[in-house]
Amino acid sequence: TDAPPQNTKAKPESQKKPSKKGRGGMIVLEPVAGTRDFIPSDMRYRAWLFSKFHAVAKKYGFEEYDAPILESEELYKRKAGEEITQQMYNFTDKSEQQVALRPEMTPSLARLILSQGKSLLMPVKWYSIPQCWRYETTTRGRKREHYQWNMDIWGVPNVSAEAELLAAICEFFKLVGLTSQEVGIKISSRKVLETVMKGLNISSEQFAPACVIVDKLDKLQKEDVVQQLSILGISEESSLELISIMQIKDIDELSQKIGEESVAELRQLFDLVKGYGVAEYLRFDASIVRGLSYYTGVVFEAFSISRNSELSRAICGGGRYDRILTTYGAKQDTPACGFGFGDVVILEILRDLNKIPKEVSRHVVNDLVVPFNEDLRPQACKVVTMLRDAGIPAEVYLPKTKKIANTFSYAERIDADRVIMIAPDEWNAGEVKVKYMKLQPKGVGEEEKNTVGVQFAVKVDDLL
Ligand SMILES: CC(=O)Nc1cnc2ccccc2c1
């Protein structure tokens, strides 16, 4: 379920957004509609999620790349009626260039692959976590940006590449504690649709736009889908036959319908994923099409099982796109496949299922060093540097120390384990005063460490 539509009713004067800057009023404090701020408490969740994306990519030998958020609009000028190209965040820049904030990463990746030319040795396994944009009419109140983990393999025509990508997605699920009872991946192939459409005398140039339409089956009424397909010149009878074949959930049944040859790749894929030990997450489902026009083969989509499935949005999705380079004017194509994995849905699911470790929500500073007075501040800086160089996240109390009590309340606020006070008498004796703010885990050291609140003199060298 997307965020509730923004309240568009007129607001009483008092609640209206403060007037725009310029008439001396306060600036608007909210981010632009559909975009998000990430203050530290939010950023910790995003950083934690991205650290899992990076960990899986690294474990699978993928290399990170990036490209500008701003791209030429022509990268996305596809005429297959996809929502993603109809909602482009595009504009004419000051040099009259038609540019757009990228709605997806694959076109930029295709541009990079083309620009590298022969110097790029295949296969290529690249990943990125780009922020992608769309211009949604705010009536839907949906987000206009999200971060999308992209993993792609170029130069591999066989389904070993798709198997590797599916294994990487399942690796992520295992890494964050999502079981095959909680999430799954539905797999099909557009080659199935291609075979069916050929059998129904649907021309090949109708293939991509027809896929974009039947992808809406889970959102639109069947009649609407039939109606949209009729605009492509596809008869109602053919459309109904196509839609009925897409209800098939079993490869054997599908093989009966369209022949073993058309399902051979899928059988091989299901064999390979058994090798990775992730078959429990995967199932065949002929209704999976995906909404991007450039897919040409295997397509897949991950979903959450525990939530009310009819409303749940895809967790991630992807597939094979073997013919994208010639659409950008290249002389020949290079096989490719990949997936996109957004940051919004997965975090909602992980929160709902309580999979996010408690420490992700906590800002970690172990020690707070407090100078008793400004004369002792250089010494405090020395001590905090010693702690930091030992790998301990540590702060030195920056405001002038008026009342020691204030530093203790600051220590509580930053959830520090210890307050280390630089006091004159102790310092002259080569010591500091330590106050434990909370019980240390048992066995941390001598008995007194587990007496919260009492202050002890400790040799500077014994601090580490
Ligand atoms: C659930 C969600 O926020 N999806 C989302 C948000 N922003 C986008 C921006 C561009 C393309 C797809 C997008 C998808």
Side-chain angles (χ1 to χ4, degrees):
T1 48
D2 283 313
Q6 269 162 348
N7 166 0
T8 49
K9 279 198 302 301
K11 286 183 178 142
E13 199 48 44
S14 60
Q15 279 179 27
K16 246 190 194 143
K17 278 199 183 100
S19 62
K20 297 268 185 241
K21 212 171 167 182
R23 285 189 290 287
M26 168 87 87
I27 55 161
V28 170
L29 301 182
E30 294 79 34
V32 169
T35 69
R36 297 167 292 171
D37 294 328
F38 288 87
I39 61 173
S41 53
D42 301 323
M43 194 65 197
R44 278 194 285 275
Y45 287 90
R46 177 174 134 190
W48 171 81
L49 175 67
F50 286 17
S51 74
K52 303 302 174 194
F53 290 158
H54 286 291
V56 172
K58 182 183 172 76
K59 189 171 181 177
Y60 277 57
F62 282 69
E63 298 174 273
E64 191 170 14
Y65 70 97
D66 196 7
I69 274 188
L70 194 65
E71 285 277 7
S72 164
E73 191 186 75
E74 69 175 353
L75 251 58
Y76 316 104
K77 280 284 181 207
R78 307 191 292 259
K79 300 177 188 52
E82 296 143 281
E83 185 179 74
I84 200 165
T85 57
Q86 291 167 338
Q87 297 180 327
M88 240 190 307
Y89 212 123
N90 59 340
F91 56 97
T92 306
D93 75 9
K94 291 185 169 63
S95 52
E96 303 291 306
Q97 289 296 310
Q98 294 294 105
V99 290
L101 298 181
R102 65 187 167 207
E104 53 168 337
M105 196 59 160
T106 306
S108 299
L109 174 57
R111 180 174 63 75
L112 266 59
I113 298 289
L114 276 174
S115 71
Q116 296 298 300
K118 293 269 178 286
S119 71
L120 196 54
L121 299 180
M122 295 287 160
V124 155
K125 292 167 64 173
W126 286 7
Y127 86 99
S128 189
I129 312 178
Q131 187 179 36
C132 296
W133 294 79
R134 66 184 172 191
Y135 193 85
E136 275 270 330
T137 48
T138 40
T139 45
R140 291 193 61 174
R142 295 200 305 175
K143 289 183 181 57
R144 287 181 172 166
E145 54 77 24
H146 73 156
Y147 287 86
Q148 190 191 56
W149 177 35
N150 276 248
M151 294 263 279
D152 290 85
I153 299 175
W154 283 68
V156 178
N158 42 309
V159 291
S160 57
E162 285 90 328
E164 179 80 355
L165 292 170
L166 289 165
I169 294 170
C170 297
E171 182 87 28
F172 169 86
F173 288 153
K174 291 178 180 179
L175 193 56
V176 296
L178 285 172
T179 69
S180 53
Q181 313 310 315
E182 294 164 326
V183 292
I185 307 179
K186 291 175 186 167
I187 303 168
S188 185
S189 172
R190 285 205 176 168
K191 294 220 174 90
V192 166
L193 281 171
E194 205 171 14
T195 308
V196 172
M197 289 191 201
K198 280 204 178 84
L200 299 169
N201 295 320
I202 298 170
S203 64
S204 53
E205 56 268 355
Q206 307 294 32
F207 171 63
C211 286
V212 174
I213 292 167
V214 297
D215 173 60
K216 301 174 196 169
L217 263 173
D218 60 347
K219 297 179 187 68
L220 299 179
Q221 298 298 325
K222 190 193 293 193
E223 299 71 53
D224 300 341
V225 171
V226 171
Q227 203 273 327
Q228 291 187 27
L229 287 170
S230 68
I231 297 170
L232 288 181
I234 298 171
S235 72
E236 177 171 357
E237 186 196 1
S238 298
S239 298
L240 292 175
E241 169 65 8
L242 182 63
I243 291 168
S244 75
I245 289 177
M246 288 173 58
Q247 312 314 313
I248 296 175
K249 303 270 188 283
D250 172 84
I251 296 186
D252 295 334
E253 187 189 337
L254 184 66
S255 173
Q256 294 300 325
K257 196 89 187 177
I258 63 171
E260 183 53 30
E261 204 277 334
S262 302
V263 301
E265 264 188 359
L266 283 166
R267 288 210 197 275
Q268 202 204 340
L269 179 54
F270 277 93
D271 265 352
L272 291 178
V273 295
K274 289 190 185 85
Y276 284 104
V278 296
E280 62 184 299
Y281 284 97
L282 310 175
R283 67 185 72 165
F284 171 74
D285 184 328
S287 71
I288 296 303
V289 190
R290 295 299 293 165
L292 294 170
S293 62
Y294 48 67
Y295 287 131
T296 56
V298 169
V299 283
F300 49 85
E301 189 171 289
F303 59 97
S304 60
I305 295 169
S306 38
R307 290 154 68 94
N308 41 9
S309 57
E310 62 277 5
L311 294 178
S312 80
R313 291 153 301 171
I315 293 175
C316 68
R320 179 163 288 279
Y321 51 100
D322 284 344
R323 295 192 285 274
I324 196 168
L325 292 190
T326 45
T327 69
Y328 290 133
K331 295 278 178 299
Q332 69 178 48
D333 278 312
T334 298
C337 59
F339 66 77
F341 196 133
D343 67 319
V344 176
V345 174
I346 187 63
L347 269 177
E348 282 173 13
I349 291 167
L350 290 170
R351 281 201 176 95
D352 287 356
L353 296 175
N354 206 13
K355 301 285 184 179
I356 303 177
K358 186 127 188 49
E359 66 267 12
V360 173
S361 65
R362 273 205 301 269
H363 167 46
V364 178
V365 169
N366 296 32
D367 291 337
L368 174 66
V369 180
V370 175
F372 243 58
N373 56 51
E374 287 311 296
D375 296 344
L376 283 164
R377 183 165 292 280
Q379 289 77 351
C381 298
K382 181 173 185 301
V383 170
V384 78
T385 302
M386 180 190 78
L387 294 164
R388 287 168 172 170
D389 290 349
I392 297 168
E395 282 196 49
V396 56
Y397 189 67
L398 296 176
K400 286 187 176 174
T401 312
K402 293 268 182 309
K403 290 185 348 214
I404 277 295
N406 295 351
T407 69
F408 293 151
S409 59
Y410 179 75
E412 275 163 13
R413 174 147 64 93
I414 62 171
D415 199 20
D417 296 334
R418 300 188 297 187
V419 175
I420 294 162
M421 287 162 282
I422 314 298
D425 302 348
E426 285 76 9
W427 182 257
N428 293 334
E431 291 174 333
V432 293
K433 289 171 80 170
V434 176
K435 172 177 177 169
Y436 285 93
M437 299 303 287
K438 48 190 175 181
L439 277 181
Q440 297 304 304
K442 277 283 173 217
V444 167
E446 51 283 11
E447 186 39 45
E448 68 260 17
K449 282 193 177 178
N450 284 314
T451 319
V452 176
V454 181
Q455 299 177 22
F456 303 93
V458 172
K459 286 239 166 296
V460 174
D461 302 344
D462 293 345
L463 271 180
L464 297 180

